[in-house]
Amino acid sequence: MTDAHEGAERSPATGTTAAAQPALAPGAGPPPDEPGTPAKPAKDSRPGKPEKPGDSAEQPGLMRDHDFRMLFSAAVVSKVGTHIGYIALPLVAIETLDASAGQVGVLGMLSTVAFLLIGLPAGAWVDRMRYRRTMIAADAVRAVLLGSVPLAALFDALTITQLYAVVLLNGCATVFFDVAAQSCLPDLVGRDRLVAANSQLNSWDAALQAGGRGGGGFLVQALTAPVAVLANALGFVCSALLLGRIRKPEARPERDRRKTLWAEIGEGVRFVARHTVLRPVAMAGSCTNLSVFTITTMIPVVFRDELGLPIWVVGLFLSIGGIGVFAGALSARRVGDRLGPGRAPWILGMYTVPFALTVPLVDRGWLLGAAAGAWLLVTFRMGVDNVLLVSFRQRVTPTPLLGRMNATIRFLFTGALAVGGGIAATVGEFASARTALWVGAVGLAGAWLPVFLSPLRTMRELPDE
């Protein structure tokens, strides 16, 4: 499932938050026990690993697979609820509690800080537990937390402190859900079908990011904010029920009880840092998130203050990014088959350099259309990356390390969003918003270089562990 924010967890490549963040990928490591590289793992302790690498087009359609259909449906329902919550919770604070701008800002911060606070230990904890049970438990916790908001509002007992606690704890539960969701996929569908599965999940995620929050706004308008939050809670209940219908048994993970939590966290961080492809992929993804967040933070400022464009134009421009990610995710499998899944990310990255550098030229007239078209192509590339590179990541990581690998990558990507916001604020304040756009565009234009300088440069097939 996506990064999903990504990432939040996903980056606003789609004009949203970190939930769209680019999910980037692992690659093949060197021979076992070579210094500075991860040793070849023992056979997976959980079932479901295929014997041969490669994404076969002959595989049966994933939507005919009952278990994947349940996982996919749970992901869609959960994401719909999440996007409703992005709109509904701040409006509960404003309409019910008459919250100030600063209090609403704190709510926004608390909704994204969880990955930085507990992301790394969550990965180690997730690897100690069955993934699907973790996801169901996280859904149940989120449903209870969000359900408490309309209940308290009904009895006129809701406070801003409760909202702060709900948003923070909901974010923590989402950390566990997202890490477990990305970690359970290889076992559920088989590593030879990861590209197809990620294409399905990422394309719908992008579509929901492009339109979900607008739908959430209409729901709030029709039902009031507290009732919309209740709908969000019910969405998580539905997600948990769908996950519970997955039939494939999940083995209990094996772990060395002599290792401490911090030792296990360090093992995951070292695995990413020493892997010959995971490391450059993490660097490329972090650079992409940092750059995209810098751009999307400053786009509204440039459009409104410098160009005097109406707000709907800002929304339309950023929504074009959502369309680009959606189209890229849908096309990722075909692009990977044509160019090679290892070569496609850097080839597309290289060819979209001029378009990344076109975005800061945005102005009234034809340059507005040119910048929008360029943004569409850049985010199309990111949609392809979301699918191909997260599939690499899942494929080359031993099952016992999947949670820690995903948590480490998501921690880096979330941190990059925070840095991008800081760069946008600093450059925008002391230079100009237009200069901040150029800083983000230059970073985005060069984000493919770490992948190009890695073994992925020549790979035409998906690597295996």
Side-chain angles (χ1 to χ4, degrees), residues 28-54:
D33 299 324
E34 182 178 325
T37 65
K40 182 73 174 175
K43 185 177 179 180
D44 285 350
S45 60
R46 304 178 196 187
K49 182 184 172 187
E51 295 181 3
K52 294 181 182 180

Side-chain angles (χ1 to χ4, degrees), residues 141-455:
V141 168
R142 293 190 289 183
V144 170
L145 287 168
L146 292 171
S148 73
V149 172
L151 185 64
L154 179 65
F155 291 99
D156 200 24
L158 185 65
T159 64
I160 192 66
T161 302
Q162 179 183 343
L163 269 189
Y164 287 160
V166 166
V167 169
L168 178 60
L169 294 175
N170 183 70
C172 291
T174 299
V175 169
F176 280 89
F177 184 93
D178 287 353
V179 171
Q182 285 196 334
S183 303
C184 81
L185 195 60
D187 175 61
L188 188 70
V189 303
R191 297 186 184 229
D192 58 335
R193 297 199 293 176
L194 281 172
V195 169
N198 280 310
S199 179
Q200 294 270 15
L201 292 165
N202 277 273
S203 59
W204 275 94
D205 189 26
L208 290 171
Q209 288 174 33
R213 297 189 186 188
F218 285 117
L219 190 62
V220 169
Q221 181 70 34
L223 301 179
T224 75
V227 177
V229 173
L230 179 61
N232 189 0
L234 293 175
F236 290 131
V237 172
C238 291
S239 174
L241 293 174
L242 289 165
L243 290 170
R245 295 188 62 195
I246 294 176
R247 298 166 182 162
K248 185 174 185 178
E250 191 173 21
R252 181 187 297 274
E254 298 176 4
R255 60 176 289 253
D256 186 349
R257 296 189 177 275
R258 294 171 298 178
K259 290 182 179 178
T260 66
L261 178 68
W262 291 108
E264 292 181 347
I265 292 171
E267 191 177 11
V269 172
R270 286 192 299 274
F271 177 74
V272 172
R274 294 175 179 176
H275 201 288
T276 55
V277 175
L278 280 175
R279 181 178 62 250
V281 157
M283 293 168 60
S286 298
C287 183
T288 298
N289 272 16
L290 183 155
S291 303
V292 169
F293 200 67
T294 302
I295 291 171
T296 54
T297 300
M298 287 293 106
I299 282 289
V301 179
V302 171
F303 277 38
R304 291 289 291 157
D305 294 351
E306 185 177 327
L307 303 181
L309 295 169
I311 293 175
W312 69 266
V313 176
V314 179
L316 179 62
F317 185 92
L318 294 176
S319 294
I320 286 171
I323 296 169
V325 174
F326 175 70
L330 279 181
S331 307
R333 191 175 182 183
R334 288 190 293 273
V335 172
D337 287 344
R338 185 172 183 84
L339 300 178
R343 299 169 68 236
W346 71 259
I347 290 174
L348 291 180
M350 180 177 65
Y351 279 106
T352 54
V353 167
F355 301 108
L357 297 177
T358 300
V359 174
L361 298 174
V362 64
D363 205 337
R364 284 180 168 273
W366 69 271
L367 279 174
L368 178 60
W375 188 238
L376 178 70
L377 293 173
V378 170
T379 53
F380 174 88
R381 184 262 292 181
M382 294 171 63
V384 174
D385 285 356
N386 282 351
V387 173
L388 295 181
L389 294 177
V390 83
S391 300
F392 276 120
R393 229 170 63 195
Q394 293 165 329
R395 185 152 193 155
V396 303
T397 302
T399 301
L401 279 168
L402 276 168
R404 281 166 284 173
M405 177 278 296
N406 282 315
T408 300
I409 296 287
R410 295 289 294 274
F411 178 84
L412 292 172
F413 289 176
T414 305
L417 293 174
V419 173
I423 289 175
T426 303
V427 177
E429 179 69 25
F430 294 103
S432 68
R434 178 80 65 170
T435 303
L437 282 188
W438 277 107
V439 171
V442 169
L444 198 54
W448 59 277
L449 288 172
V451 174
F452 175 76
L453 298 173
S454 78

Side-chain angles (χ1 to χ4, degrees), residues 46 126-127 129-135 183 250 399:
R46 304 178 196 187
V126 166
D127 278 336
M129 301 178 283
R130 290 181 173 92
Y131 296 139
R132 291 202 301 274
R133 288 188 181 181
T134 301
M135 294 164 66
S183 303
E250 191 173 21
T399 301

